[in-house]
Amino acid sequence: MAEGANAVEAALAAGTVHELFVTARAAEQHADLVDAARAAGVAVSPITDRAADGLSETVTPQGIVAVCALLDRPLEEAVTPGARLVVVLVDVADPGNAGTVIRVADAAGADAVVLAGDTVDPHNGKCVRAAAGSLFHLPITRVRDVPAALAACSAAGLRTFAAHGYAEAELDRVDLTAPTAWVFGNEAHGLPADVLERTDLAVRIPLYGKAESLNLATAAAVCVYTSAMAAHR
Amino acid sequence: MAEGANAVEAALAAGTVHELFVTARAAEQHADLVDAARAAGVAVSPITDRAADGLSETVTPQGIVAVCALLDRPLEEAVTPGARLVVVLVDVADPGNAGTVIRVADAAGADAVVLAGDTVDPHNGKCVRAAAGSLFHLPITRVRDVPAALAACSAAGLRTFAAHGYAEAELDRVDLTAPTAWVFGNEAHGLPADVLERTDLAVRIPLYGKAESLNLATAAAVCVYTSAMAAHR
């Protein structure tokens, strides 16, 4: 379910909408989206405000909700030779974090996001909302087998960099111009030792103040954007 | 109120704790913190698990809560000549965002955070938790008058850079080695025109993919860290 005008617009543009539900007020306010859906052959069904409340997971529903195809792509379709930037999440537990990182990856021009191990389901409503449409902008793949995810990145010609608070290599000293897959771990536990061992390099964000760490989403934003800007320089 | 072992530890280190409340279990688990509080002349009061639940704003209280001095510093004490990196939040509404940005500012070695205009109260529990102790690591000042906040930054020798989605200047093309105050606006509305006009330069984060923007906390992380790493290079 993609909820709200922005998410519905992105889902329609991606051609993944099965059916669109709109309240009378939302249909008036977002006539362009309703027209676009009809033009694409998508069934548009009117609903009451009360039904919109029932469908919505938010406190203030916008009255426009799209039922979409599942987002999963196979690993080999998502991570392909020629990729320059891939983000791998390992065992990330919070759907808001996963969605925020998917939005960052999209903004940074990443080629794919790999949700590996026990990472949350990207179809979770909190993840969809935090991703703000980005779920429909780049390939998302779910892979239980973390070593297989890393092997696919290596096979595609990407170096695998693990974000790790105790790494020796510092982000501002590492060459980030070559194709890179960034690997981030669980919010509380970070990356397991066996995953760290399978990556090419562990990298830490330099801490210049007294904070002991950054949270997952801001750490990912710093790493992924530092890479993207270095590659575009 | 600083809740949980990490926040209490940071508050004790900063010497701002008035009184410490601990359950029997937490006193055992965090004996070092209880000893440190006593050594600093802080009153330590035992509480029941039920009282801890009552004091806590979280679902799983840790049983250790410190009542602290208010964090506000006067603007002229927080933003001083010689500062190299300052973060200014204008009308930021979400306490979790404010706390996350304070944590990022601390990690990046910022000299101060200025909460300007209608920005949320940093004493809000969600802000305290998101800041993860960083509220006690660097000076925080609250200033209603946004132009006064910007003038103080300029007077301290900082260039004021406004993060703005439609700015001409791109983050990766701007010289970030000189002392800088980063200015961020409200989550939904960004920075008002009159604030933009009063800053030295509006800067946008380059968007390499299809996302239209980043959220406030990740945008701030990218801008502030890009500055910090450039200044330390």
Side-chain angles (χ1 to χ4, degrees), chain B:
Chain B
M1 303 256 269
E3 196 184 333
N6 290 340
V8 168
E9 187 178 3
L12 283 169
T16 61
V17 178
H18 287 322
E19 186 165 2
L20 184 64
F21 294 98
V22 277
T23 61
R25 200 171 54 176
E28 206 169 287
Q29 205 181 340
H30 304 292
D32 52 331
L33 294 179
V34 173
D35 290 348
R38 288 220 173 91
V42 170
V44 178
S45 305
I47 51 172
T48 61
D49 287 343
R50 208 165 144 194
D53 281 354
L55 279 174
S56 174
E57 293 182 0
T58 64
V59 182
T60 51
Q62 292 187 40
I64 182 160
V65 176
V67 175
C68 305
L70 289 176
L71 294 160
D72 271 356
R73 306 269 190 96
L75 177 60
E76 60 275 16
E77 275 181 29
V79 179
T80 53
R84 307 219 26 109
L85 183 60
V86 166
V87 175
V88 182
L89 299 184
V90 177
D91 302 341
V92 168
D94 181 87
N97 280 339
T100 302
V101 176
I102 289 167
R103 183 174 173 185
V104 165
D106 175 18
D111 298 284
V113 175
V114 181
L115 305 177
D118 278 329
T119 293
V120 289
D121 185 343
H123 303 99
N124 176 300
K126 273 191 187 171
C127 180
V128 175
R129 284 193 298 283
S134 290
L135 277 171
F136 304 105
H137 291 163
L138 77 176
I140 311 282
T141 181
R142 294 166 76 189
V143 190
R144 268 248 159 243
D145 183 347
V146 180
L150 297 178
C153 291
S154 300
L158 297 150
R159 291 165 314 166
T160 52
F161 281 4
H164 181 55
Y166 300 103
E168 269 186 39
E170 283 194 321
L171 181 65
D172 56 337
R173 306 287 162 92
V174 170
D175 175 26
L176 294 165
T177 55
T180 301
W182 272 106
V183 186
F184 302 100
N186 173 272
E187 292 87 345
H189 312 296
L191 286 167
D194 65 311
V195 174
L196 278 174
E197 272 167 29
R198 286 170 197 270
T199 58
D200 294 323
L201 185 68
V203 179
R204 73 181 157 90
I205 296 174
L207 296 170
Y208 303 114
K210 295 184 198 157
E212 283 167 27
S213 63
L214 290 172
N215 74 21
L216 170 67
T218 52
V222 170
C223 293
V224 170
Y225 248 95
T226 302
S227 270
M229 290 194 292
H232 282 83
R233 204 159 281 149

Side-chain angles (χ1 to χ4, degrees), chain A residues 100 103-104 106-109 134 137 171-172 205-211 213-215 217-218 221-222 225-226 228-229 232-233, chain B residues 100 103-104 106-109 134 137 171-172 205-211 213-215 217-218 221-222 225-226 228-229 232:
Chain A
T100 302
R103 182 175 174 186
V104 165
D106 175 19
S134 290
H137 290 164
L171 182 64
D172 56 338
I205 297 174
L207 296 169
Y208 303 114
K210 294 182 197 158
S213 62
L214 291 172
N215 74 22
T218 53
V222 170
Y225 248 96
T226 303
M229 292 194 290
H232 283 82
R233 201 159 282 149
Chain B
T100 302
R103 183 174 173 185
V104 165
D106 175 18
S134 290
H137 291 163
L171 181 65
D172 56 337
I205 296 174
L207 296 170
Y208 303 114
K210 295 184 198 157
S213 63
L214 290 172
N215 74 21
T218 52
V222 170
Y225 248 95
T226 302
M229 290 194 292
H232 282 83

